[in-house]
Amino acid sequence: MNALPQDLLTDEEGNARCGWCGTDADYVRYHDLEWGVPVRDDLGLFEKICLEGFQCGLSWITILKRREAFRECFVDFDPRRLAKFTPSDVERLMTDSRIIRNRAKIEATIQNARTMTVMLDRDESLADLLWQFAPKKRRLYRRLDQVPAITDESTKMSRVLKKAGWKFVGPTTCYALMQSAGMVNDHLDGCFRHGAVKALR
């Protein structure tokens, strides 16, 4: 059985951070610079939906280590270009060992690009759609085991996205998206990033 991560880890400079990021340099950089920072632009949120979909059933570090390859393979998550991908593109991606070669996830990403393109053509905002689910009440957690995997808000978000045609957007994936995009601030109480992220909200 794998040991559970410590709630907070303190580095040599005295900064305490959420223990889930461990000591991997890429993971620490992501925690310190990106996780929980509010993202309100449509294309940034579209990329996050796609990557969170690939994370489903995997750890985020697995995706993070491959993020640049994902961006290259999926044309920087440009929805209009990605929406034009064909079955031959799917087959090409299935042979690329730099990414997660899961056919259902690859096809879902292309379908999501087509759904996103419809929104763009209608001048609809993905940011407005997603941010309506940001909880009004801010929650504060002191331990990792207090942080939920699913909330009422993420369940509602999932339901709305699925109805609109989005794929791989279950409640757990939606909550991970909410955490990543700063719709919630789940940096633990005591993490040096909690206050900074709170100020950005």
Side-chain angles (χ1 to χ4, degrees), residues 60-92:
W60 176 246
I61 189 65
T62 302
I63 305 303
L64 185 62
K65 293 288 188 181
R66 294 167 171 79
R67 185 164 59 172
E68 291 307 315
F70 273 112
R71 286 171 173 167
E72 180 181 337
C73 291
F74 289 91
V75 291
D76 287 326
F77 293 102
D78 179 330
R80 293 194 185 279
R81 294 171 65 194
L82 187 51
K84 296 177 182 178
F85 274 30
T86 66
S88 63
D89 289 307
V90 174
E91 295 306 319
R92 172 177 54 81

Side-chain angles (χ1 to χ4, degrees), residues 2-38:
N2 293 327
L4 294 175
Q6 295 181 40
D7 294 320
L8 291 170
L9 292 175
T10 303
D11 63 20
E12 295 178 354
E13 298 177 354
N15 294 315
R17 57 175 55 84
C18 304
W20 55 258
C21 66
T23 58
D24 179 272
D26 291 332
Y27 225 6
V28 168
R29 189 178 306 110
Y30 174 74
H31 169 276
D32 290 0
L33 301 178
E34 294 186 54
W35 194 70
V37 173

Side-chain angles (χ1 to χ4, degrees), residues 174-194:
C174 283
Y175 193 66
L177 170 67
M178 294 174 76
Q179 292 175 308
S180 172
M183 296 171 203
V184 295
N185 179 6
D186 280 354
H187 285 281
L188 296 181
D189 183 27
C191 172
F192 85 103
R193 285 293 293 165
H194 181 88

Side-chain angles (χ1 to χ4, degrees), residues 69-156:
F70 273 112
R71 286 171 173 167
E72 180 181 337
C73 291
F74 289 91
V75 291
D76 287 326
F77 293 102
D78 179 330
R80 293 194 185 279
R81 294 171 65 194
L82 187 51
K84 296 177 182 178
F85 274 30
T86 66
S88 63
D89 289 307
V90 174
E91 295 306 319
R92 172 177 54 81
L93 292 170
M94 284 294 294
T95 66
D96 197 321
S97 61
R98 297 175 300 160
I99 63 170
I100 305 301
R101 292 176 287 180
N102 180 299
R103 185 179 300 275
K105 292 179 180 180
I106 291 171
E107 291 177 343
T109 301
I110 298 169
Q111 175 57 44
N112 287 345
R114 292 170 181 158
T115 301
M116 180 67 180
T117 299
V118 171
M119 291 187 67
L120 292 173
D121 289 343
R122 293 175 177 171
D123 289 325
E124 296 174 353
S125 169
L126 179 61
D128 289 347
L129 176 65
L130 297 178
W131 274 87
Q132 68 178 303
F133 298 103
K136 302 298 185 288
K137 183 178 180 180
R138 298 181 182 178
R139 301 158 183 142
L140 180 63
Y141 304 109
R142 292 178 171 80
R143 303 193 315 270
L144 291 176
D145 63 7
Q146 293 176 330
V147 181
I150 296 173
T151 63
D152 289 343
E153 294 88 356
S154 75
T155 300
K156 292 174 184 175

